[in-house]
Amino acid sequence: MGSAMKVRLFAIASLASLSFVNGVSIAAGGEGLTVPVKLPAYDAARASCRAPTGLHKKLVFVQDNRREFMEGAGRGLEAAARARGLAYSVAFANNDPALMIKQVSGIATDKTGAIVVAPINAPSLAPALKKVIGAGAYVGAIVAPPATTVLNAPQYLTGKVLAEAAANYIRTRLGGKAKVVLLTHDSLQFLVPRFTAMRDTLRTLPGVTIVADISPATVDKEGGYRTMKTILLAQPNIDVVLGADTVVLGALAALREAGKARSDQFLGGIDGEEEAVVEIKKGGSPYKASISLASSIFGYAMGQHAADWLDGKSIQQAMDILPMALTTTNIAGYERDAANPGAVYADLTRRASYLKMYGNICFDTRENYINFPWSSETK
């Protein structure tokens, strides 16, 4: 056989092993989309396909812990399940990755139709999630793949929105000068861009000094409290603290305990935690802003996607939750929306202010699930 014919036959064989999603070819074999691709906007007019058979009309939230951000997601999921006639339950892993694997492995064999998961250790959980996907069920994941639908925030933009609020405060209220503490999560690769954005933004202010740039040992109030206590030994006068709400709230506790909390400080966090919202509403608190990721609203959306999947509809492959800086001026409207996510979802204009959808997938194209760290951002 001539070399040209061999090449042609090899090419035909290679094409036979490929399938296509949104015009991008992917290798078959059950691993989904492993190479990052840019997803187009979600097409609501895309034709539906077969509905999965033999699965229970049931939605399970595999929840990592009970922080308010995840509790909000659960409230949204439960409301959507109730609206669409799905049974709903929570598998609570209590920050135990081995327990979460066991929970998902059980779901893979009990014919549950849909799950949403907040992975504790994404690599170790991936094999169990792939089995759930392979069984035809819907898998929605908060940030970390693999999943039928991945929910993420544009992380660089999220950090930038918070840092710009802080920078504006420094310019207008602190005379352009500030000692800043960044409480980071740089050990979590998905969150690195938000802290890169904070550094990039603060670098534009010549009067700003970042006196501490550190990841607390634990991402909770206790971690923030202990880290700030240590920082205060070397830097007793801090003007700005930025990070996730839960750790910044811990830092605030340490500042108050040390008598170093001031009304003119700018403490700001990410997640829209209820306690942070309470601080902002007080007036006169050092806590000035929280970047909301509206967990009840994205939870409701993922619950709707799960029900649509089980009905055989074409749904979103990925979804951005858009960051919003909560301040005393807009917090009342946000609280109304968060308390009634169904109304937000039904109003396309209001929904678009919180969520942005990408790609299409359905039961017939389930092999095209996302299995790479998806982000809508290029930076």
Side-chain angles (χ1 to χ4, degrees):
M1 186 183 295
S3 59
M5 179 62 73
K6 289 180 180 179
V7 169
R8 183 169 179 268
L9 289 176
F10 176 78
I12 292 172
S14 298
L15 286 171
S17 69
L18 294 175
S19 59
F20 292 83
V21 55
N22 299 318
V24 180
S25 62
I26 62 167
E31 291 300 308
L33 290 169
T34 58
V35 177
V37 296
K38 184 177 178 61
L39 297 175
Y42 168 66
D43 182 1
R46 184 74 67 87
S48 298
C49 64
R50 291 180 300 154
T53 59
L55 298 178
H56 299 305
K57 297 279 189 176
K58 179 181 179 181
L59 172 60
V60 177
F61 182 26
V62 186
Q63 185 175 343
D64 55 355
N65 60 43
R66 296 195 189 280
R67 68 189 188 275
E68 174 58 28
F69 180 69
M70 288 303 169
E71 294 286 279
R75 289 192 293 273
L77 287 166
E78 184 174 14
R82 185 169 58 250
R84 297 293 296 274
L86 301 182
Y88 178 77
S89 63
V90 177
F92 180 60
N94 196 28
N95 290 324
D96 183 340
L99 175 58
M100 182 172 278
I101 292 169
K102 183 178 179 181
Q103 290 166 335
V104 173
S105 297
I107 288 169
T109 60
D110 73 358
K111 299 189 182 302
T112 290
I115 74 170
V116 171
V117 61
I120 297 168
N121 185 301
S124 66
L125 186 64
L129 289 175
K130 290 176 187 177
K131 289 181 181 178
V132 178
I133 294 169
Y138 169 86
V139 173
I142 298 173
V143 181
T148 311
T149 302
V150 171
L151 178 282
N152 201 355
Q155 296 294 347
Y156 189 89
L157 178 61
T158 299
K160 184 178 180 182
V161 170
L162 178 59
E164 287 183 341
N168 183 61
Y169 187 90
I170 292 167
R171 284 190 293 265
T172 60
R173 299 290 299 278
L174 299 179
K177 297 180 180 180
K179 292 183 177 180
V180 178
V181 169
L182 298 183
L183 299 176
T184 71
H185 300 164
D186 282 350
S187 59
L188 302 177
Q189 69 172 100
F190 297 105
L191 301 183
V192 168
R194 64 171 58 169
F195 300 106
T196 301
M198 292 179 195
R199 297 179 191 108
D200 288 348
T201 301
L202 294 171
R203 198 176 294 126
T204 65
L205 300 176
V208 165
T209 303
I210 298 177
V211 297
D213 186 335
I214 187 170
S215 295
T218 56
V219 183
D220 54 18
K221 286 181 68 174
E222 182 65 19
Y225 170 80
R226 291 189 178 279
T227 302
M228 181 55 73
K229 283 196 71 171
T230 301
I231 292 169
L232 288 172
L233 295 175
Q235 297 286 343
N237 296 305
I238 300 298
D239 301 302
V240 176
V241 183
L242 305 178
D245 276 329
T246 187
V247 293
V248 176
L249 287 164
L252 175 59
L255 286 165
R256 283 175 169 159
E257 183 182 272
K260 296 295 182 180
R262 310 188 315 267
S263 62
D264 68 339
Q265 288 168 316
F266 184 102
L267 272 64
I270 295 169
D271 285 340
E273 293 272 1
E274 184 175 355
E275 189 176 343
V277 170
V278 170
E279 284 289 340
I280 294 168
K281 289 167 67 176
K282 282 180 181 178
S285 169
Y287 222 103
K288 297 299 192 299
S290 177
I291 305 304
S292 165
L293 298 178
S295 60
S296 68
I297 293 171
F298 78 65
Y300 190 92
M302 296 181 92
Q304 288 285 337
H305 300 165
D308 286 345
W309 174 272
L310 293 172
D311 285 347
K313 294 179 181 178
S314 181
I315 67 166
Q316 298 82 347
Q317 281 178 293
M319 180 168 61
D320 268 335
I321 180 70
L322 303 175
M324 174 189 298
L326 300 181
T327 64
T328 54
T329 60
N330 65 6
I331 211 161
Y334 164 78
E335 287 184 315
R336 286 194 297 270
D337 285 351
N340 191 2
V344 175
Y345 191 82
D347 183 330
L348 295 182
T349 300
R350 287 166 70 195
R351 185 201 304 182
S353 70
Y354 289 100
L355 303 171
K356 190 171 183 180
M357 317 289 192
Y358 303 84
N360 283 75
I361 190 169
C362 67
F363 176 75
D364 286 341
T365 59
R366 62 191 180 281
E367 71 275 9
N368 297 330
Y369 67 88
I370 289 179
N371 195 13
F372 65 87
W374 177 82
S375 172
S376 63
E377 294 178 313
T378 57
K379 186 163 184 174

